């Protein structure tokens, strides 16, 4: 008969069976998870992927007694510390201090200026009495860099520095004007810098109020820097612009002449299209009163109107109509705040009723340079720019002024310009063909920028305490929290 040995533990079969079954089940699930997906499944687009990430985080980060986390934008106010801004969102001062202390390892949290924007993932208490919980925080520290802080279930925080790779992109945008040129071009990826260049470029050729009609077309070529997720981090230069309006096509090419510091625009024959004076020195304005005799709106009797009025909102930028020297920058009776620019011994321009003057007498200005802002100072019934053109000390009609024309390229400059023109024309033709094949009214294509190669360091996602290299795009705090613990 077998003797019972008290030193031996009895063998229990039931727990061993359960453990084995559990291990087998987990192994089966892991094997299924890591199998290749069938090729018949559709590929998710970035927006769908982001939605799934957000949902996964919300389900994973849900905590007893708290609502699902939501993205909250926090804007630092004047004189406010980063800790104060976080506590204003509802989190406790202890948690806010801990977050700021962690951020200080990679970011200057002391000299935080007004307007700094942060994206926070915050879970609110269901009872409405306890402090909110900070689950994630994102702050952008550069054009393609951001810090992301995440909080795990045990309350510990981790800080990661993420950096996207940046590439140069040459974009060809072809579209139909719907509403305005600015909105239509912006919809195809043009930045405010690019649309501003277009408005200045055509200011002496086209009246954007009266000449542009719905259905008119435009073509633009411009450079810009974009991140791997498609966000524009730097506006580039306008290389080509074309507008088809009133039955005419006007096109300009950018080219830098030998010895010049900056590029200028030329028509397809190589003629410098930089007019001596801009016809419209204020953008997006309508003509409210022309040159000539009229009944004065304040004095009530017929009087000579020695300029053109452009109605625009207070604060609209006013640009110098041509290169020259500021002769006057002062208050001048009924003209209110007044600036006069002398372009040469014969030509001068005047700008009246300004709300602010941004130049001083004796200052040299270039065509298109900011000189002030639209206002309603002096004898004025509303905000507008009164614009005058003087020839030999006498005001003349700006619309009829026969001003000097630009120069024409020749020699080696003309040869180089034709080569540049051929390059741009080819790009535009390719984009136009693609648009026609796709049967689209508007389209923008990104081209490889071989002549302007830009080297980037690649995307990086690193824990501040320990570097990890991964190709992870920038995400808001709510979606970057997942998988970072």
């Amino acid at each position: 008969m077998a003797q019972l040995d008290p030193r031996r533990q009895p063998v229990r079969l039931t727990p061993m069976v359960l453990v084995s079954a559990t291990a087998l089940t987990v192994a089966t699930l892991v094997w299924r998870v890591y199998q290749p997906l069938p090729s018949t499944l559709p590929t998710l687009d970035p927006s769908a992927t982001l939605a799934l990430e957000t949902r996964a985080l919300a389900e994973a980060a849900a905590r007893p007694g708290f609502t699902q986390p939501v993205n909250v934008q926090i804007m630092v106010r004047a004189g406010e510390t980063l800790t104060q801004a976080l506590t204003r969102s509802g989190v406790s001062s202890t948690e806010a201090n801990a977050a700021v202390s962690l951020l200080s390892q990679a970011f200057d949290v002391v000299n935080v200026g007004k307007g700094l924007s942060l994206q926070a993932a915050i879970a609110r208490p269901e009872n409405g009495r306890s402090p909110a919980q900070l689950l994630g925080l994102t702050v952008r520290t550069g054009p393609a860099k951001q810090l992301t802080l995440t909080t795990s279930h045990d309350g510990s925080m981790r800080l990661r520095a993420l950096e996207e790779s940046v590439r140069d992109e040459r974009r060809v945008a072809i579209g139909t004007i719907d509403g305005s040129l600015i909105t239509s071009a912006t919809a195809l990826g043009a930045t405010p810098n690019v649309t501003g260049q277009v408005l200045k470029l055509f200011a002496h050729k086209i009246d954007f109020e009266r000449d542009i009609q719905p259905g008119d077309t435009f073509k633009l070529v411009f450079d810009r820097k974009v991140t791997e997720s498609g966000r524009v981090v730097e506006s580039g230069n306008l290389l080509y612009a074309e507008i088809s309006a009133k039955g005419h096509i006007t096109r300009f090419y950018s080219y830098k002449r030998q010895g010049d510091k900056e590029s200028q625009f030329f028509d397809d024959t190589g003629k410098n299209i930089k007019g001596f004076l801009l016809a419209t020195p204020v953008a997006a304005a309508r003509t409210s009163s022309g040159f000539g005799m009229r009944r004065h709106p304040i004095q009530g009797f017929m009087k000579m109107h020695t300029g053109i009025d452009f109605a625009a909102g207070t604060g609209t930028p006013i640009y110098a109509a041509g290169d020259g020297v500021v002769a006057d920058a002062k208050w001048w009776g009924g003209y209110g705040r007044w600036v006069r620019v002398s372009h040469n011994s014969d030509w001068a321009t005047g700008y009246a009723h300004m709300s602010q003057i941004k130049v001083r007498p004796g200052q040299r200005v270039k065509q298109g340079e900011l000189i002030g802002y639209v206002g309603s100072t002096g004898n004025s019934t509303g905000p507008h720019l009164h614009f005058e053109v003087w020839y030999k000390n006498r005001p003349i009609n700006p619309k009829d002024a026969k001003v000097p024309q630009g120069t024409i390229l020749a020699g080696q400059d003309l040869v180089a310009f034709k080569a540049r023109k051929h390059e741009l024309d080819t790009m535009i033709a390719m984009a136009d063909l693609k648009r026609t094949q796709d049967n689209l009214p508007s389209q923008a294509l990104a081209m490889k920028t071989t002549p302007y190669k830009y080297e980037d360091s690649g995307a990086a996602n690193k824990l501040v305490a320990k570097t990890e290299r991964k190709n992870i795009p920038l995400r808001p705090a709510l979606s970057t929290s997942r998988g970072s613990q």
Side-chain angles (χ1 to χ4, degrees), residues 274-314:
K274 180 181 178 182
F276 183 66
L277 297 177
L278 297 177
T280 308
V282 58
R286 63 179 179 84
T287 303
S288 56
S289 184
F291 183 92
M293 295 297 296
R294 68 165 186 175
R295 184 176 295 278
H296 197 280
I298 296 178
Q299 298 173 353
F301 56 81
M302 297 299 294
K303 186 177 181 181
M304 184 66 181
H305 187 233
T306 56
I308 293 180
D309 289 346
F310 295 101
T314 299

Side-chain angles (χ1 to χ4, degrees), residues 61 110 156 264 279 335 345 370 479:
V110 177
S156 61
Q264 298 186 38
Y335 282 82
S345 58
L370 178 70
S479 57

Side-chain angles (χ1 to χ4, degrees), residues 199-484:
L199 293 178
K200 290 181 182 179
L201 180 60
F202 287 89
H204 66 286
K205 289 287 186 179
I206 294 177
D207 186 328
F208 285 96
E209 176 203 349
R210 294 179 295 182
D211 294 343
I212 299 295
Q213 301 296 328
D216 290 340
T217 60
F218 66 93
K219 297 178 181 180
L220 305 176
V221 180
F222 52 91
D223 286 335
R224 62 181 192 172
K225 291 190 189 311
V226 297
T227 65
E228 57 184 333
S229 60
R231 189 176 55 84
V232 179
V233 296
E234 184 178 324
S235 301
N237 292 319
L238 178 68
L239 305 178
Y240 174 88
E242 174 187 314
I243 294 179
S244 176
K246 297 183 68 175
H248 299 285
I249 298 177
T250 307
R251 55 174 65 96
F252 300 132
Y253 298 82
S254 171
Y255 174 72
K256 184 178 179 180
R257 295 182 298 187
Q258 295 181 11
D260 286 354
K261 294 182 178 180
E262 298 178 353
S263 298
Q264 298 186 38
F265 283 89
F266 300 80
D267 64 15
D268 46 13
T269 66
K271 181 179 179 180
N272 190 336
I273 57 81
K274 180 181 178 182
F276 183 66
L277 297 177
L278 297 177
T280 308
V282 58
R286 63 179 179 84
T287 303
S288 56
S289 184
F291 183 92
M293 295 297 296
R294 68 165 186 175
R295 184 176 295 278
H296 197 280
I298 296 178
Q299 298 173 353
F301 56 81
M302 297 299 294
K303 186 177 181 181
M304 184 66 181
H305 187 233
T306 56
I308 293 180
D309 289 346
F310 295 101
T314 299
T316 302
I318 300 172
Y319 306 104
D323 298 347
V325 178
V326 178
D328 294 324
K330 62 183 181 181
W331 184 278
W332 193 27
Y335 282 82
R337 290 190 177 90
W338 159 266
V339 168
R340 181 168 63 91
V341 177
S342 176
H343 303 288
N344 58 28
S345 58
D346 292 333
W347 295 89
T349 52
Y351 315 79
H353 307 304
M354 301 167 72
S355 61
Q356 293 184 57
I357 295 174
K358 304 302 289 185
V359 291
R360 63 186 184 278
Q363 178 180 338
R364 183 168 294 277
V365 294
K366 292 185 177 181
Q367 186 180 75
E369 184 176 340
L370 178 70
I371 60 173
Y373 298 96
V374 170
S376 187
T377 56
N379 295 337
S380 172
T381 58
H384 71 283
L385 169 66
H386 174 79
F387 175 59
E388 294 187 356
V389 174
W390 292 8
Y391 179 66
K392 293 186 176 180
N393 297 321
R394 294 184 59 186
I396 63 174
N397 189 346
K399 292 293 184 182
D400 298 335
K402 296 181 179 180
V403 297
Q405 299 299 310
T407 58
I408 301 177
L409 293 174
Q412 193 61 37
D413 271 327
L414 182 59
V415 174
F417 169 76
K418 287 182 178 180
R420 177 64 176 273
K421 176 180 178 297
H422 176 73
E423 176 190 359
L424 293 172
D425 287 343
T426 302
M427 295 177 63
I428 296 165
M430 292 171 56
D432 215 356
L433 178 62
K434 181 72 166 59
R435 180 177 66 97
T436 303
Q437 291 175 342
D438 294 343
N439 195 25
L440 297 174
S442 301
Q443 190 168 38
L445 296 177
M447 302 288 184
K448 195 173 182 180
T449 59
T450 305
Y452 301 92
K453 189 175 181 182
Y454 176 80
E455 298 292 341
D456 61 79
S457 57
N461 168 26
K462 60 181 180 179
L463 194 63
V464 170
K466 181 180 179 181
T467 302
E468 286 182 32
R469 291 281 177 181
K470 293 182 180 179
N471 290 324
I472 299 180
L474 295 180
R475 300 292 192 195
L478 189 56
S479 57
T480 42
S481 302
R482 189 172 72 89
S484 61

Side-chain angles (χ1 to χ4, degrees), residues 21-177:
T22 302
L24 180 61
T25 302
V26 171
T28 302
L29 290 175
V30 170
W31 179 83
R32 290 182 177 179
V33 167
Y34 282 93
Q35 291 305 301
L37 291 176
S39 59
T40 56
L41 291 180
T43 302
L44 291 177
D45 57 53
S47 60
T49 303
L50 180 58
L52 287 177
E53 287 183 354
T54 303
R55 180 180 175 184
L57 169 70
E59 293 173 350
R63 303 182 182 185
F66 288 85
T67 62
Q68 297 292 344
V70 294
N71 263 333
V72 177
Q73 184 179 24
I74 302 173
M75 195 77 71
V76 178
R77 298 172 180 173
E80 190 176 45
T81 65
L82 197 54
T83 302
Q84 292 170 336
L86 290 176
T87 54
R88 181 162 45 81
S89 69
V91 303
S92 67
S93 57
T94 301
E95 196 167 25
N97 282 322
V100 172
S101 176
L102 193 58
L103 284 173
S104 67
Q105 297 183 25
F107 177 60
D108 183 2
V109 298
V110 177
N111 300 308
V112 175
K114 172 188 175 183
L116 176 68
S117 178
L118 305 95
Q119 289 289 336
I122 293 180
R124 305 285 183 187
E126 293 179 347
N127 59 21
R129 295 187 297 271
S130 304
Q133 288 190 341
L134 181 66
L135 302 183
L137 184 67
T138 300
V139 55
R140 187 165 295 283
T141 59
K145 299 178 181 180
Q146 75 176 31
L147 295 175
T148 298
L149 179 150
T150 55
T151 305
S152 59
H153 284 279
D154 61 1
S156 61
M157 296 180 179
R158 296 191 178 189
L159 184 64
R160 291 180 182 271
L162 293 92
E163 181 177 358
E164 283 187 290
S165 60
V166 178
R167 70 179 185 275
D168 266 6
E169 178 182 273
R170 181 160 296 170
R171 197 166 181 84
V172 181
I174 302 176
T176 301
I177 297 177

